[in-house]
Amino acid sequence: MECTRTLVIIDQALGHEALGIVNRYLRNIKVVEDPTGKGRETYRSERARIHNTLLAERWPVMLSIYQEMIVKPDELQMTSRPLNIHPSRPEIPGMYYDTGPLISDSESAGMQGGTLHFMTEGIDQGPLIRVLEAPVAEGYRYPEVRRRNQEFCLELLDWTCVAIVRSD
C-alpha cells in the first residue's frame, strides 16, 4: 500500500520528540524545520527554501506542528489537507499561547490545551478537528504551562499520524 505523501513543518522546540512520533507512523514524508528564532537573514533564506518546497509539488497532506511561520495562500493551494497543531485552545490564535492561561482577564484564563485544525488564510482560524484542554494546574507558571502545551501538541500529533495512516 502506498503511504500518503506528507509535508511536515516542525518547530525546533518539539524537535526530537515530534520527529520520533512522525517517523514511527509516516513513511512517505518530507520534513522541514520552521526557521523562526534563527535570526533575520537565516529566517529569510530558510523561509524561501520552505516556500519552494511547498510549491515544488502537490502535497496530499501538509502538517504544521507548533510553529509560527505563516503559510501563504498560494502555499495552501498546494495541499489537499493542510493541518495545523496549535499549542493552545482555539480562543488564543497566533502567539502568546503560553501566557494567556496565566492572565486572569484573558478569555482562556485558567485553561490550557492544544488544537488540531485545518489551515485557512486566517491565522489559526480553520475548522476544528480536535481540541485537548485542561485546567492550569495549581502553582503552574510560564515554563510549566509551556511544557504542558507542548505535551498536548505531541498527543495531538500522535493522534493525527494514526489518522493519516488509517486514511491510506
Side-chain angles (χ1 to χ4, degrees):
M1 175 188 290
E2 181 87 15
C3 298
T4 299
R5 181 85 169 130
T6 303
L7 175 64
V8 179
I9 304 171
I10 193 164
D11 185 276
Q12 57 191 347
L14 293 181
H16 296 298
E17 290 175 274
L19 282 176
I21 293 169
V22 167
N23 288 323
R24 184 179 328 135
Y25 295 106
L26 306 178
R27 297 290 171 252
N28 193 2
I29 62 171
K30 168 95 176 156
V31 176
V32 292
E33 189 177 310
D34 174 12
T36 303
K38 291 187 173 182
R40 187 179 209 145
E41 290 307 312
T42 301
Y43 178 85
R44 284 186 187 150
S45 64
E46 287 295 301
R47 181 61 181 95
R49 185 179 60 78
I50 292 171
H51 178 74
N52 292 336
T53 300
L54 282 160
L55 297 179
E57 65 182 274
R58 181 123 181 99
W59 299 95
V61 177
M62 177 178 60
L63 179 55
S64 166
I65 308 161
Y66 194 86
Q67 56 91 22
E68 297 173 358
M69 187 185 74
I70 303 299
V71 178
K72 299 173 183 174
D74 60 330
E75 297 167 341
L76 284 173
Q77 293 175 3
M78 295 303 292
T79 181
S80 302
R81 285 187 283 172
L83 305 172
N84 184 48
I85 295 176
H86 176 65
S88 184
R89 295 171 61 226
E91 301 85 39
I92 309 179
M95 298 171 47
Y96 310 111
Y97 38 78
D98 293 327
T99 55
L102 299 172
I103 300 171
S104 62
D105 62 348
S106 75
E107 273 186 66
S108 63
M111 294 293 290
Q112 66 181 112
T115 303
L116 169 64
H117 63 88
F118 287 102
M119 294 173 79
T120 60
E121 290 183 29
I123 296 172
D124 296 324
Q125 299 297 311
L128 300 177
I129 299 168
R130 187 175 179 126
V131 176
L132 300 177
E133 60 186 4
V136 174
E138 183 75 30
Y140 267 26
R141 297 205 188 299
Y142 174 81
E144 293 86 10
V145 170
R146 180 177 175 82
R147 184 61 204 156
R148 184 65 182 118
N149 284 347
Q150 291 173 343
E151 290 168 358
F152 282 122
C153 288
L154 293 169
E155 187 176 336
L156 285 167
L157 177 58
D158 192 90
W159 185 89
T160 303
C161 289
V162 169
I164 291 169
V165 169
R166 287 184 178 156
S167 71
D168 283 343

